[in-house]
Amino acid sequence: MIVTKSTGSWYTVFDMGSGEEFRCRLRGALRLEGRRSTNPVVVGDEVVVEKTAESDYLITSILPRKNYLIRRSTNLSRESHIIAANIDYIYIIVSAEQPRTNPEFIDRVLVTCEAYKIPATIVVNKSDIDSGEEFREIYELAGYEVINTSVKTGEGIEELSSRLRGGLSLLTGNSGVGKSSVINAIDPSIGARVGNISHYHRKGMHTTTFSEIFRLSNGGFIIDTPGIKGFGLVDLDNDELARYFPDLSRYAPECGYYNCTHIHEPDCAVMQAFAEGKISESRYESYLKMLDDDGKHRK
């Protein structure tokens, strides 16, 4: 069984075998076990559910996760917030204009994807406004795939829909990049379902406030996440950060010092590659900012 929706108090659990859904509460002990995170159970979790004597359903245990997407929580009483678990692929939705996505945000998500071994692709949406060649140059140089989409012209929608067939994919990005519009263009039935829910609760136009899994008409599963403003790193030490930048790590073995920080050391192959244009300025600056801004949170 897989958790498809979490509101904090109640969880929707989907039985892949029977196709049934169950509205569940969480066993008290599991809430305590999740004390280092704001959310002990997340969408994508595979769980064990038991029926109580009162005919309620309880999540009694969580099966081991193969991976998860995690960020530093804005809640100071907790260390981290897990967005989703057991993800097969992540698509980072960005836009070059209206609004422009900060490359550092993209890099932070990518570092976490690398750390937890989740394949990721950058999707430049609103390509009818700006095709995002700057993003393409930066991230193809780093070794990532970049594709374009436009709900207005239809560019890339069919390709992205095809990629989402089978498996569990997560779409994430800042508010305003058009993520929900892309999802609705891929499968309009999702928009209809969300609209009905919003109308029922009289909440007006839908704005994603928590992660939720939707089953696509093509057979895949997609995780829709709330728009994310910031993405603080957790559980990563400064001395291992560079290995999660593929464009830095491919040159690091050639450095003169095995513990090179790639900031000031002589015979640094990473700094040399940067000077030769083999590493983009944007990516190298993101690396330096993460060392400086996040280091104190990861110690």
Side-chain angles (χ1 to χ4, degrees):
M1 293 189 181
I2 183 173
V3 176
T4 58
K5 183 177 179 180
S6 166
T7 61
S9 301
W10 291 92
Y11 301 85
T12 301
V13 177
F14 179 70
D15 188 332
M16 301 286 282
S18 67
E20 293 182 276
E21 283 189 344
F22 301 90
R23 189 168 183 258
C24 304
R25 291 182 292 110
L26 190 63
R27 193 182 69 184
L30 287 180
R31 287 195 293 270
L32 295 176
E33 290 169 7
R35 60 188 178 275
R36 292 183 66 247
S37 173
T38 59
N39 47 347
V41 177
V42 302
V43 298
D45 270 332
E46 295 180 358
V47 297
V48 175
V49 173
E50 294 182 3
K51 190 174 183 178
T52 68
E54 295 78 19
S55 294
D56 292 330
Y57 292 93
L58 280 180
I59 295 175
T60 58
S61 63
I62 308 166
L63 301 183
R65 295 164 174 159
K66 72 175 183 180
N67 61 37
Y68 48 86
L69 186 65
I70 187 172
R71 67 184 179 114
R72 193 168 66 243
S73 175
T74 55
N75 181 350
L76 297 180
S77 67
R78 299 291 187 179
E79 180 179 336
S80 61
H81 175 78
I82 300 175
I83 297 171
N86 300 315
I87 306 160
D88 294 314
Y89 216 97
I90 286 182
Y91 294 90
I92 306 170
I93 312 297
V94 307
S95 58
E97 294 290 341
Q98 301 181 16
R100 180 181 183 275
T101 302
N102 187 334
E104 187 184 346
F105 168 81
I106 303 172
D107 295 334
R108 288 172 178 272
V109 179
L110 288 174
V111 162
T112 303
C113 289
E114 293 288 342
Y116 291 94
K117 296 180 173 57
I118 309 172
T121 288
I122 292 91
V123 179
V124 181
N125 192 33
K126 305 183 184 180
S127 60
D128 54 290
I129 299 175
D130 192 313
S131 63
E133 283 306 308
E134 177 189 0
F135 288 135
R136 185 173 298 279
E137 291 176 4
I138 291 171
Y139 292 103
E140 287 186 346
L141 181 63
Y144 291 101
E145 185 180 23
V146 180
I147 63 175
N148 284 9
T149 56
S150 169
V151 173
K152 185 175 181 179
T153 67
E155 179 185 8
I157 298 299
E158 185 175 344
E159 177 188 353
L160 183 56
S161 176
S162 178
R163 289 166 177 258
L164 297 173
R165 290 192 183 101
L168 179 61
S169 301
L170 181 146
L171 270 64
T172 191
N174 295 143
S175 298
V177 298
K179 177 173 54 67
S180 295
S181 297
V182 169
I183 292 174
N184 291 336
I186 291 170
D187 191 336
S189 68
I190 292 178
R193 278 178 278 170
V194 169
N196 289 337
I197 293 171
S198 298
H199 176 73
Y200 178 79
H201 290 287
R202 298 184 179 182
K203 293 181 180 179
M205 184 176 294
H206 168 66
T207 300
T208 307
T209 55
F210 45 81
S211 298
E212 183 171 0
I213 295 178
F214 293 100
R215 188 171 189 173
L216 299 172
S217 57
N218 65 14
F221 291 85
I222 190 171
I223 306 172
D224 184 16
T225 64
I228 300 173
K229 291 183 179 179
F231 204 96
L233 305 179
V234 293
D235 295 336
L236 299 178
D237 295 329
N238 278 3
D239 58 4
E240 65 180 10
L241 181 61
R243 75 178 65 171
Y244 302 125
F245 280 77
D247 38 349
L248 275 66
S249 63
R250 72 172 61 113
Y251 299 105
E254 302 172 19
C255 289
Y257 296 89
Y258 78 93
N259 59 347
C260 184
T261 64
H262 319 303
I263 299 175
H264 53 72
E265 294 88 348
D267 300 322
C268 174
V270 170
M271 294 174 64
Q272 181 62 33
F274 169 60
E276 295 174 356
K278 297 176 182 177
I279 297 172
S280 73
E281 181 177 0
S282 172
R283 291 277 291 172
Y284 186 65
E285 286 183 353
S286 285
Y287 169 70
L288 296 180
K289 287 180 181 178
M290 289 182 210
L291 285 177
D292 184 47
D293 297 343
D294 293 88
K296 59 182 176 293
H297 297 285
R298 298 197 297 269
K299 292 179 179 178

